[in-house]
Amino acid sequence: MKPYFRYFIMAGLCFSMHLSLAQKSKVERKIVQTIDKHNDQYIDLLKKSVSINSGTMNFDGVREVGKLYKQELDALGFETTLTSGQAFNRAGHLVAKHMGKKGPKILLIGHLDTVFEPENPFQEYKMLNDSIMNGPGVADMKGGDVIIIAAMRALKEAGVLDDMSITIVMTGDEEKSGSPLELSKKELVDAAEWADIALGFENADGNPKTIVVSRRGSLSWSLEVKGNAAHSSQIFTDKVGTGSIYETSRILNEFYTQLSGEHNLTFNPGFIIGGTQVKMDEDGGGGTAHGKTNVVSESTIVRGDIRAVSLEQLEKAQKVMQDIVSKNYPKTSAVLTFAENGYPPLGLTDGNNQLLKVYDQVSKDLGFGPVDPVNPRNAGAADISFTAGYVDMAVDGLGLSGADDHTVNETGNLNMVPVQAKRAAVLMYRLSRD
């Protein structure tokens, strides 16, 4: 644990409760007023950024969004850089730094890209009513990026930003990470090593009354099964055995039987191909299979992912899966491999719980009600997971409330832009006070 937090973990809640007795301070009132004053500008900024296609593989579009946000942060005194993603075949990231002299070092995390590439028909926003916007990336997560900017401006105009140490990393490949992952996430990990606290501005489960204190990690896996090709009339004989498809079905069924009851663990076979001949596509996202009904299958390939809430849970599940794979049907063999890199779990820590309590108190003091933790089962992998093991406190879900992420029905509630910005700015102000 970093030295600053040996004190903070124990004393932080008491400090927050002390502040709450007086409700909002003069500085906090100024923060609230500033956000309300400029809210129309933030909504315009959100509309402008949503109108720019920034599908992960549209490098020009991702960079254009990065330039838009860079201008805003430059004006607030941040030192900003749009990094190159050439080494990992992506657009690169926006990194903004502001070095103060007081309080903890805070990392804010967003991302510039969306899942909607230029060929997707979902390219423009529309207002469904006076507050609900339907648009590509409005909730995941351009709304969160705009909230970061709104909070920074509020802290600036309240006269407290100058003393604060803040690094902002908005990645350009959160939705489809570049490879190798250690290069793709280098700026993020470097910032996490520097920071004491990490705040993520994803939209969590879309409910503004919740926040993420724990996220499951994600790791891909591949299963390759071999059998003896022969005439189907000879299946189950000592010489031929069962074939690869039967062996694959046994393995997948045992995965389900032995592990599906494990709390917060999921494992999903995303696709399967099997037959006499199989061939994977170069990108690993599919393939082709050929065979006949009267021929025993020779090869089967399955690809999927596994999600766990802790490294311990992941390792335990991997051992069970490998044990299942090793107990083959007659005349078959199978190899299960896990990717070397994936999204690590953001485990639940005392520090994360402490940060939740401070945020909860901030929300109550601002009149927005209590905040509860999101069930990890409802929170997918996200960039904040790469701060695990580096920072002493981390929460995610400070972004814009919305629904139906990654679909043409994605929406964001514009009424929540000022609410989330106020919560985030006041939280950072309180954290900055020793």
Side-chain angles (χ1 to χ4, degrees):
M1 182 179 293
K2 297 175 183 177
Y4 181 88
F5 286 94
R6 291 194 181 101
Y7 161 76
F8 190 87
I9 292 292
M10 296 182 290
L13 182 59
C14 295
F15 176 69
S16 177
M17 293 297 291
H18 172 73
L19 278 176
S20 70
L21 296 177
Q23 297 298 309
K24 297 187 292 292
S25 67
K26 181 179 179 180
V27 170
E28 291 174 3
R29 289 195 295 271
K30 176 66 174 176
I31 288 171
V32 169
Q33 292 166 1
T34 299
I35 291 170
D36 286 335
K37 176 182 176 182
H38 298 293
N39 187 56
D40 288 346
Q41 297 174 41
Y42 305 138
I43 300 302
D44 289 341
L45 179 63
L46 179 57
K47 290 178 178 178
K48 187 174 182 179
S49 62
V50 169
S51 298
I52 301 170
N53 178 279
S54 60
T56 307
M57 302 310 293
N58 179 12
F59 296 172
D60 290 341
V62 173
R63 293 188 188 108
E64 187 177 349
V65 174
K67 290 176 182 177
L68 180 65
Y69 295 153
K70 181 180 185 297
Q71 292 174 354
E72 298 288 331
L73 294 169
D74 284 340
L76 297 174
F78 281 80
E79 295 183 5
T80 61
T81 304
L82 284 169
T83 70
S84 171
Q86 184 176 0
F88 49 93
N89 192 33
R90 293 295 184 270
H93 314 311
L94 171 61
V95 179
K97 297 181 179 181
H98 188 286
M99 298 298 109
K101 297 180 180 180
K102 298 180 181 179
K105 293 173 286 187
I106 302 175
L107 168 61
L108 311 182
I109 302 171
H111 66 81
L112 307 170
D113 62 321
T114 74
V115 300
F116 304 101
E117 300 294 344
E119 62 271 15
N120 192 295
F122 190 39
Q123 296 293 331
E124 299 178 354
Y125 79 84
K126 62 181 178 180
M127 298 302 300
L128 302 184
N129 55 41
D130 61 353
S131 60
I132 303 300
M133 178 193 289
N134 167 229
V138 60
D140 188 12
M141 65 165 294
K142 292 176 179 178
D145 297 332
V146 169
I147 287 167
I148 290 175
I149 294 168
M152 294 303 97
R153 184 170 184 177
L155 292 170
K156 180 72 172 181
E157 294 196 13
V160 295
L161 180 60
D162 289 347
D163 289 333
M164 299 173 69
S165 293
I166 295 174
T167 293
I168 301 169
V169 178
M170 296 184 182
T171 62
D173 64 342
E174 196 272 349
E175 301 293 3
K176 189 176 182 181
S177 295
S179 179
L181 201 61
E182 56 266 26
L183 293 181
S184 163
K185 304 304 177 186
K186 185 179 186 304
E187 280 88 357
L188 182 59
V189 172
D190 287 348
E193 289 179 327
W194 165 86
D196 300 305
I197 300 171
L199 304 177
F201 285 77
E202 289 274 8
N203 64 331
D205 63 353
N207 183 352
K209 297 183 182 296
T210 62
I211 199 169
V212 176
V213 293
S214 176
R215 278 191 181 276
R216 296 187 300 162
S218 175
L219 191 67
S220 62
W221 53 266
S222 178
L223 175 66
E224 297 189 25
V225 182
K226 295 292 185 180
N228 288 332
H231 195 284
S232 63
S233 65
Q234 300 304 301
I235 195 169
F236 309 141
T237 63
D238 292 341
K239 181 179 179 180
V240 173
T242 61
S244 67
I245 291 179
Y246 267 124
E247 169 63 355
T248 303
S249 65
R250 178 198 69 81
I251 291 170
L252 296 180
N253 183 66
E254 284 299 308
F255 285 177
Y256 176 81
T257 300
Q258 296 189 36
L259 290 171
S260 63
E262 179 76 19
H263 186 57
N264 284 330
L265 178 75
T266 57
F267 42 93
N268 175 60
F271 79 80
I272 181 172
I273 51 177
T276 306
Q277 295 178 330
V278 299
K279 183 179 180 181
M280 290 279 292
D281 294 341
E282 288 186 5
D283 64 1
T288 57
H290 297 277
K292 297 177 67 177
T293 58
N294 64 350
V295 177
V296 176
S297 60
E298 182 176 3
S299 302
T300 305
I301 298 175
V302 186
R303 295 192 70 237
D305 74 358
I306 180 170
R307 297 170 185 262
V309 76
S310 68
L311 289 175
E312 292 77 15
Q313 185 182 50
L314 176 62
E315 291 171 358
K316 177 183 175 182
Q318 287 176 309
K319 289 179 180 178
V320 172
M321 293 170 76
Q322 292 288 11
D323 182 64
I324 291 169
V325 168
S326 70
K327 298 175 180 178
N328 307 119
Y329 273 161
K331 304 301 179 180
T332 66
S333 62
V335 177
L336 174 66
T337 57
F338 293 91
E340 292 184 3
N341 295 306
Y343 273 68
L346 178 69
L348 181 62
T349 67
D350 291 341
N352 296 2
N353 277 330
Q354 175 67 31
L355 191 52
L356 166 63
K357 292 177 182 178
V358 179
Y359 186 76
D360 174 68
Q361 192 62 58
V362 166
S363 183
K364 291 175 181 175
D365 292 347
L366 292 173
F368 301 136
V371 179
D372 296 315
V374 170
N375 184 336
R377 193 69 167 75
N378 299 331
D383 277 341
I384 197 169
S385 294
F386 288 94
T387 70
Y390 297 111
V391 300
D392 292 293
M393 291 179 159
V395 295
D396 202 354
L398 279 70
L400 183 63
S401 304
D404 297 319
D405 303 5
H406 293 198
T407 76
V408 297
N409 298 314
E410 181 173 348
T411 59
N413 184 349
L414 303 190
N415 287 339
M416 294 306 297
V417 170
V419 172
Q420 297 297 83
K422 291 171 187 177
R423 284 168 159 169
V426 172
L427 171 67
M428 284 183 272
Y429 169 64
R430 291 191 182 182
L431 292 172
S432 71
R433 299 188 63 186
D434 191 359

